[in-house]
Structure formats: structure tokens, C-alpha cells
């Protein structure tokens, strides 16, 4: 499962043209935030807890909630899935 998660995370980061390290270490550029939001949304779709997701991306559970909502809004506005 971890290999699949890593591969999907790398794919999301490539699509956003950012490094995985930037997503995991708290980068705040628009592209990094969008990639982190997409990763949180993906991980939540796998039924991971907010606490688990936060541990992976270096955020607390409330930040993960905001991230997931932001990504859902972006999908609704843009019609994009990632």
C-alpha cells in the first residue's frame, strides 16, 4: 500500500510541477499548496483519518479539512480532478 501511495503522491506532484519534498515540508507557493490539497483529497478518498493525513503532510487535522475543501472547490470550479 505504501508504494502505491508514494507513486500516486509523486504523480500528483509531477502534474503540479512541484517536488514531493516541498509538499511534505510546508512550502506555501500556489503550486505546492494545490499539490498538497490534491494529495490530502486523494488520501481522504482512501478513508485515511484526518490525523493520519496530517501526519504525512505535516499539518494538523483542521488544516487537512481546509485543504480537502479547497481541492473540492477547485474541482467544482475548474472541472479538474487533480
Amino acid at each position: 500500500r505504501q508504494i502505491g501511495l508514494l507513486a500516486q503522491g509523486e504523480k500528483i506532484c509531477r502534474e503540479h510541477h512541484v517536488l514531493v519534498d516541498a509538499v511534505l515540508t510546508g512550502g506555501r507557493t500556489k503550486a505546492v499548496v494545490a499539490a498538497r490539497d490534491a494529495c490530502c483529497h486523494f488520501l481522504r478518498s482512501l478513508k485515511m483519518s484526518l490525523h493520519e493525513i496530517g501526519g504525512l503532510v505535516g499539518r494538523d487535522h483542521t488544516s487537512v479539512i481546509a485543504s480537502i475543501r479547497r481541492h473540492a472547490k477547485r474541482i467544482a470550479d475548474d472541472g479538474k480532478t487533480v
Side-chain angles (χ1 to χ4, degrees), residues 12 16 33-43 67 71 74 82:
I12 292 169
H16 288 277
V33 170
R36 185 179 305 113
D37 292 351
C39 287
C40 289
H41 188 268
F42 168 72
L43 293 170
S67 183
H71 186 71
R74 193 175 297 118
V82 179

Side-chain angles (χ1 to χ4, degrees), residues 5-81:
L5 291 177
L6 181 58
Q8 185 64 29
E10 288 173 345
K11 179 182 176 209
I12 292 169
C13 289
R14 275 194 311 274
E15 290 171 356
H16 288 277
H17 308 288
V18 299
L19 299 174
V20 174
D21 286 346
V23 170
L24 300 179
T25 59
R28 291 178 47 156
T29 65
K30 187 174 181 177
V32 170
V33 170
R36 185 179 305 113
D37 292 351
C39 287
C40 289
H41 188 268
F42 168 72
L43 293 170
R44 188 64 173 166
S45 74
L46 299 177
K47 307 296 184 203
M48 288 183 73
S49 74
L50 298 171
H51 182 74
E52 289 173 317
I53 296 168
L56 290 173
V57 297
R59 296 287 189 259
D60 65 22
H61 74 282
T62 58
S63 296
V64 173
I65 293 169
S67 183
I68 292 167
R69 288 180 179 163
R70 218 176 10 252
H71 186 71
K73 183 176 179 348
R74 193 175 297 118
I75 290 170
D77 292 347
D78 297 343
K80 295 180 181 175
T81 57

